[in-house]
Amino acid sequence: MLGQIFVLLCLSSAWAQQLCMPEASDGYKVRLSINTALGDQAYVWNENEMFLFRATLAFAMRSYSGGQDYNVSNIVVCAETPRVSFWFVVTAPLNSSRLIDRSDVEEAVRKSRNRINSAFLLTDRSLEFIGIPPILTAPVTPDTPQWLIVFGVVMGAVGAGIVVLLVTSVVEKKRKKNKKSGDEDIEEEPREKTEGNGFARDGVYNMSFSDDDPVTQM
Amino acid sequence: MGQEARPNWDNPVQFVLACVSYAVGLGNVWRFPYLCQMHGGGGFLIPYLIMLVLEGIPLFYLELAIGQKMSLGSIGAWTAISPYLGGVGLASVVTSLYLCLYYNIINAWSFWYLFHSFQSVLPWAECPLNSNQTGPIEECDKATPTQYFFYRETLNISPSIEENGGIHTGQAMCLLLAWILTYLFIVKGIKSTGKVVYFTAIFPYVVLFIYLIRGFTLHGALNGVVYMFTPKLEQLANPTTWINAATQIFFSLGLGFGTLIAFASYNEYHNNFERQAIIVSIINCGTSIFASIVTFSIYGFKATVNYENCLERTRVLLLNTFDLAEDSINMDNVFEWIEKLNTTYPVQFAEIANKLEGCNLESELDTAVEGTGLAFIVYSEAIKNMPVSQLWSVLYFFMLLLLGMGSMLGNVTAIITPLRDFKFTSNISDELLNGIVCVFCLLLGLGFTTTSGNYWFVMFNDYGANFSLLFVVLIEVIAVSYIYGIKRFEKDIEDMLGHRPNWYWKIMWAGVSPLLLVTLFIVYIVNYIQGGTPTYQAWNKELGKSEVMEYPVYGQVFIGLLMVSSVGCVPLTALYVYCKKRKHGNHHTRQRTVNTVST
């Protein structure tokens, strides 16, 4: 009796192993890069971790199929390597000789990818399912591109600077003109008296005879 | 008092800083390190310093002397030396105009990168996703994210110079900002320029110093510095090394554009420009060397990062293919493992053999880049790998902006000063004239913001100034030494400085510099003719890299026009003055005969 049960168990596990092989049509290869991802905090991959993996995957199948009773025994693993990579297939909960379709497994994994990753403290890049590409999240693009904001600030500052400079120069010119017209009234009288003795007004200021130092110090 | 006195610099320091700000520009950062790398590392300093002494400083001194003596812009100064030589000044103005048109585009790009640095993730750090969100955009995948950002998002470049699209609005806005900022700096002539140069001349050194410290503390920086600076003295036997050293000194000091004449024309008559000329030239060279140390440390960092990434990718490939434990291969024994696996599993190894990239640190260090490629692609790639990359990015592009703006101030002053000297502009106020020049250059410069604009930019950069400058400065030095006369020139300098220039200067002006310039001129022409059809680098979208293409016929005609239009000013003006003198001569003799008859 015991012998028979033993033989049956061996047969069933052997049967399950036959379902799972590398390059199985309904299986996926999983690759973990624990050392690269976690460095000092890396844990050792052992039977317990493998059990966790199978349990997490069973959870994923349950969530996807809406409550069907997937168990750890439904996730069959084989071809483990020191890399920490292995193949797995998923068998149906009621009929352990029937494999779940590739596409269903893919959808299930995709749906719960985040949960699977966090169970192992890994990311999409360090826990790879070969053949299931990770869903890329597009970066958030705000409505106004950020550079326009900075551009607006700088343009505003420069524009304000120009306006200030132009206005001050116009104001200065007006002030000079007023002052000049005030001075001219006073100058008119002596010029009328001294005829022809005014200085030449269309000469050019000759720099050579300025009173500067002969050699300007740096 | 009839005419307003010519404005002056507030003090000699402003003049020196203006010259430094003008001479120290983007070429010190992106051209000199490239030349240093191509021509034997530390050994390049020997021809560089020799050329500085033989042609750099004497020609710089010459231009300052002319400007300070004549107190006029380039056209007026050369007309005063000899009426037939007014064309030399005009050629300078035309060349400066071409430079102004395309140089501010670089400032526009600096603005664009500067504004895009204020983001949590630098936009050139990763590839954007394609429309399906299944992976990165193909063009970005084939090239690198930094190249993609430059060619696609900044320039939106077309596949060749013949295909044109619309104006890139972002670029156009940045160009507008660059011109408005330039106007702000020059609006009141040197009264405003003189204040601005304190900042534009000094702040880049602060940034360079900060980058020097950052650069030296980067991982792998010393690899770059050691590799680049170890002199390879055999390069000194190559004549191209000496030619490039001479050309670099020449263009780096900004001779021939008329800027130095314009700046010096605002000096006091007795300003000691001899000492200032030597100081500015030495500062310029020192900055080139300083900037190349920084650049080489950045190169070393980038090369080391790329090399280590390459090793990492190889390691992961080996681990995944042969399913070995993760800690069996590390960075140091990748190559040993390659050998081991090749011998133990030759079949499997052959399958991945084509995916294996040969990782070589020296070949990474050997990639020499110059120009906009260095500034905007290589540097931004290095910056994105630094911690707190936004800060370094902002600092770096702000420095590029200041260097570019400082040179722009000189370029625009070189155009405005001669214009101011003409009688017909004396009624227009300073602000209005400067505004007209800026608007004119802005409108023409918008052409460089189109999709094929970068190709036109490269054309202007390569052909717009080089030939004309060599010609102009050659005429300048011959005119002063032989037409005006060294003796007269000596006397003028004695009048200004109080002592005559010593024999070294006279030998350089009369003999060595003209000889050097003639050699450079001939070599340039020979290279141009021998080079065949001029070519340019076009960005291929599908392959994700640049490829060489020939200019179309109208492109080559335009190149010819660029070179001839500035050089042709010299003979044309001489001819015009000659004709005018003959007409006036006839008119005068006719008048004299009339007078004698009436008495």
Side-chain angles (χ1 to χ4, degrees):
Chain A
M1 179 62 182
L2 270 173
Q4 277 178 326
I5 298 177
F6 185 63
V7 168
L8 263 174
L9 276 172
C10 284
L11 272 176
S12 64
S13 65
W15 179 240
Q17 285 304 98
Q18 273 189 346
L19 291 173
C20 167
M21 354 177 252
E23 316 295 337
S25 54
D26 283 320
Y28 279 100
K29 180 171 183 181
V30 180
R31 187 190 295 145
L32 289 97
S33 311
I34 308 173
N35 287 22
T36 322
L38 299 173
D40 289 334
Q41 318 266 333
Y43 46 82
V44 178
W45 187 261
N46 53 24
E47 285 297 314
N48 304 335
E49 306 286 345
M50 184 56 90
F51 180 82
L52 178 58
F53 178 79
R54 294 165 70 198
T56 328
L57 220 52
F59 160 76
M61 293 306 299
R62 281 197 188 200
S63 315
Y64 172 67
S65 60
Q68 284 181 38
D69 266 341
Y70 283 90
N71 262 316
V72 177
S73 49
N74 291 120
I75 315 291
V76 183
V77 168
C78 55
E80 263 193 76
T81 66
R83 173 70 177 83
V84 191
S85 68
F86 47 85
W87 282 83
F88 75 93
V89 291
V90 183
T91 58
L94 299 172
N95 183 358
S96 54
S97 50
R98 185 174 73 91
L99 291 179
I100 302 290
D101 258 348
R102 197 160 215 249
S103 44
D104 289 330
V105 176
E106 177 171 341
E107 282 307 309
V109 167
R110 268 236 177 95
K111 225 178 120 184
S112 316
R113 188 64 185 265
N114 225 5
R115 301 295 295 273
I116 303 176
N117 284 350
S118 8
F120 291 95
L121 308 173
L122 296 173
T123 64
D124 277 351
R125 286 186 62 187
S126 32
L127 170 56
E128 298 166 78
F129 286 82
I130 313 291
I132 305 181
I135 302 174
L136 301 158
T137 43
V140 179
T141 40
D143 287 330
T144 36
Q146 282 162 303
W147 75 273
L148 267 182
I149 302 175
V150 190
F151 173 82
V153 168
V154 176
M155 178 70 102
V158 174
I162 290 186
V163 165
V164 163
L165 272 181
L166 287 179
V167 164
T168 49
S169 71
V170 164
V171 164
E172 255 184 56
K173 273 208 187 110
K174 273 212 187 117
R175 217 184 292 154
K176 242 195 237 171
K177 224 196 276 181
N178 285 343
K179 212 178 119 195
K180 226 196 232 176
S181 56
D183 284 345
E184 271 179 3
D185 290 331
I186 310 172
E187 270 189 33
E188 289 258 55
E189 294 145 23
R191 209 179 293 137
E192 277 173 335
K193 288 188 196 147
T194 57
E195 282 182 13
N197 211 11
F199 53 89
R201 264 195 281 150
D202 40 354
V204 176
Y205 186 62
N206 192 336
M207 307 275 266
S208 332
F209 296 98
S210 58
D211 284 336
D212 293 337
D213 288 336
V215 176
T216 316
Q217 297 303 319
M218 248 288 293
Chain B
M1 203 69 88
Q3 200 178 357
E4 261 182 41
R6 194 180 182 78
N8 280 344
W9 300 105
D10 288 339
N11 53 54
V13 174
Q14 277 188 2
F15 170 63
V16 172
L17 286 181
C19 289
V20 167
S21 180
Y22 165 67
V24 171
L26 297 167
N28 300 66
V29 170
W30 74 32
R31 175 86 178 144
F32 182 78
Y34 169 77
L35 287 178
C36 218
Q37 194 178 351
M38 296 306 290
H39 294 296
F44 184 69
L45 289 179
I46 298 177
Y48 189 68
L49 291 173
I50 291 181
M51 288 300 168
L52 176 70
V53 166
L54 288 184
E55 58 157 350
I57 306 186
L59 292 173
F60 199 86
Y61 185 120
L62 185 92
E63 290 211 2
L64 290 189
I66 294 172
Q68 190 165 310
K69 165 74 185 160
M70 305 299 174
S71 277
L72 289 171
S74 51
I75 301 182
W78 288 106
T79 315
I81 288 190
S82 155
Y84 295 104
L85 285 180
V88 174
L90 192 57
S92 293
V93 171
V94 171
T95 314
S96 285
L97 182 66
Y98 291 155
L99 189 72
C100 276
L101 285 180
Y102 78 81
Y103 203 81
N104 238 354
I105 289 283
I106 307 176
N107 290 333
W109 295 340
S110 301
F111 267 124
W112 174 266
Y113 270 80
L114 178 66
F115 295 152
H116 277 85
S117 309
F118 290 96
Q119 290 178 7
S120 51
V121 175
L122 291 177
W124 54 86
E126 324 178 308
C127 280
L129 300 175
N130 59 20
S131 39
N132 297 346
Q133 298 202 353
T134 51
I137 296 185
E138 206 186 306
E139 188 183 350
C140 188
D141 212 19
K142 295 226 170 73
T144 61
T146 39
Q147 283 178 321
Y148 176 78
F149 184 76
F150 183 63
Y151 287 115
R152 187 54 47 213
E153 300 207 13
T154 310
L155 301 176
N156 196 12
I157 207 165
S158 62
S160 76
I161 198 173
E162 295 147 41
E163 299 165 44
N164 206 346
I167 294 184
H168 186 301
T169 5
Q171 281 301 299
M173 286 161 62
C174 289
L175 183 65
L176 175 68
L177 178 60
W179 273 111
I180 292 185
L181 192 61
T182 311
Y183 180 63
L184 177 68
F185 288 162
I186 57 151
V187 65
K188 286 204 178 160
I190 61 156
K191 284 297 165 205
S192 47
T193 309
K195 309 235 173 11
V196 168
V197 292
Y198 281 108
F199 190 62
T200 60
I202 299 182
F203 195 74
Y205 287 99
V206 174
V207 177
L208 272 178
F209 186 68
I210 296 176
Y211 253 93
L212 184 72
I213 303 192
R214 168 78 275 201
F216 266 62
T217 52
L218 282 173
H219 170 57
L222 279 174
N223 288 347
V225 179
V226 165
Y227 184 74
M228 310 294 184
F229 269 119
T230 18
K232 303 174 189 65
L233 288 172
E234 60 273 8
Q235 280 285 337
L236 288 185
N238 182 0
T240 322
T241 308
W242 295 85
I243 302 278
N244 279 344
T247 325
Q248 174 61 15
I249 286 281
F250 186 81
F251 292 127
S252 178
L253 287 174
L255 304 165
F257 283 105
T259 308
L260 298 172
I261 298 182
F263 278 159
S265 70
Y266 296 112
N267 274 343
E268 304 278 331
Y269 191 68
H270 293 296
N271 179 41
N272 183 3
F273 61 90
E274 177 170 337
R275 204 185 330 174
Q276 291 166 348
I278 300 178
I279 289 178
V280 173
S281 310
I282 292 183
I283 290 181
N284 185 45
C285 288
T287 312
S288 292
I289 299 175
F290 185 35
S292 51
I293 298 179
V294 176
T295 305
F296 291 157
S297 62
I298 303 275
Y299 265 161
F301 167 66
K302 182 184 90 75
T304 310
V305 164
N306 284 352
Y307 173 66
E308 288 181 356
N309 284 348
C310 179
L311 279 183
E312 177 66 22
R313 284 193 297 272
T314 313
R315 170 180 165 267
V316 169
L317 180 64
L318 290 177
L319 283 180
N320 291 350
T321 321
F322 296 99
D323 285 323
L324 307 157
E326 267 182 288
D327 44 10
S328 53
I329 309 183
N330 56 29
M331 300 283 256
D332 302 321
N333 51 20
V334 173
F335 293 114
E336 295 168 23
W337 271 97
I338 291 182
E339 306 252 329
K340 212 193 293 184
L341 290 169
N342 199 2
T343 40
T344 24
Y345 303 101
V347 174
Q348 274 173 304
F349 198 83
E351 279 170 35
I352 60 161
N354 58 354
K355 284 196 226 153
L356 275 178
E357 326 155 31
C359 299
N360 186 343
L361 181 60
E362 273 207 15
S363 67
E364 293 279 348
L365 283 170
D366 264 336
T367 48
V369 188
E370 60 162 336
T372 49
L374 170 63
F376 293 105
I377 299 180
V378 171
Y379 255 93
S380 37
E381 198 173 307
I383 289 175
K384 77 172 189 212
N385 290 324
M386 296 182 195
V388 199
S389 42
Q390 288 86 354
L391 169 68
W392 299 108
S393 180
V394 167
L395 262 183
Y396 172 67
F397 289 111
F398 190 57
M399 175 188 78
L400 277 193
L401 197 61
L402 284 179
L403 289 174
M405 272 301 169
S407 302
M408 267 313 281
L409 294 181
N411 295 334
V412 180
T413 311
I415 300 179
I416 290 180
T417 308
L419 283 184
R420 268 257 139 249
D421 296 331
F422 283 129
K423 287 220 190 66
F424 66 83
T425 55
S426 52
N427 296 331
I428 312 180
S429 70
D430 263 347
E431 291 86 357
L432 188 56
L433 179 65
N434 296 346
I436 293 176
V437 171
C438 288
V439 168
F440 178 70
C441 292
L442 168 65
L443 290 177
L444 287 184
L446 280 178
F448 293 109
T449 58
T450 58
T451 55
S452 58
N454 190 46
Y455 300 127
W456 290 99
F457 166 83
V458 168
M459 182 199 285
F460 267 76
N461 194 21
D462 289 341
Y463 299 105
N466 307 359
F467 181 70
S468 2
L469 286 181
L470 282 173
F471 182 74
V472 162
V473 179
L474 180 61
I475 303 269
E476 279 186 11
V477 84
I478 292 180
V480 169
S481 304
Y482 299 107
I483 301 183
Y484 190 69
I486 283 276
K487 295 246 183 297
R488 234 167 109 192
F489 194 54
E490 258 189 314
K491 247 188 253 158
D492 288 336
I493 294 182
E494 191 183 16
D495 202 25
M496 286 192 282
L497 292 183
H499 64 265
R500 288 182 176 237
N502 66 30
W503 54 269
Y504 157 73
W505 301 110
K506 289 189 276 191
I507 294 180
M508 293 303 142
W509 291 327
V512 178
S513 300
L515 270 175
L516 258 177
L517 286 172
V518 167
T519 320
L520 285 182
F521 195 65
I522 294 178
V523 167
Y524 186 88
I525 296 183
V526 166
N527 275 346
Y528 183 69
I529 298 177
Q530 272 188 347
T533 334
T535 57
Y536 66 102
Q537 299 265 357
W539 177 254
N540 186 328
K541 193 170 165 182
E542 279 85 42
L543 296 179
K545 57 184 190 154
S546 306
E547 50 184 21
V548 175
M549 288 180 82
E550 284 187 357
Y551 278 114
V553 176
Y554 64 84
Q556 295 175 36
V557 167
F558 197 78
I559 291 177
L561 259 176
L562 271 180
M563 306 206 312
V564 164
S565 58
S566 43
V567 165
C569 288
V570 180
L572 282 178
T573 316
L575 198 62
Y576 170 74
V577 168
Y578 179 68
C579 290
K580 225 168 75 164
K581 274 211 162 130
R582 267 192 40 192
K583 228 186 356 177
H584 271 191
N586 288 345
H587 185 68
H588 270 192
T589 40
R590 238 183 293 136
Q591 263 208 334
R592 236 179 281 135
T593 42
V594 168
N595 282 344
T596 44
V597 164
S598 60
T599 43

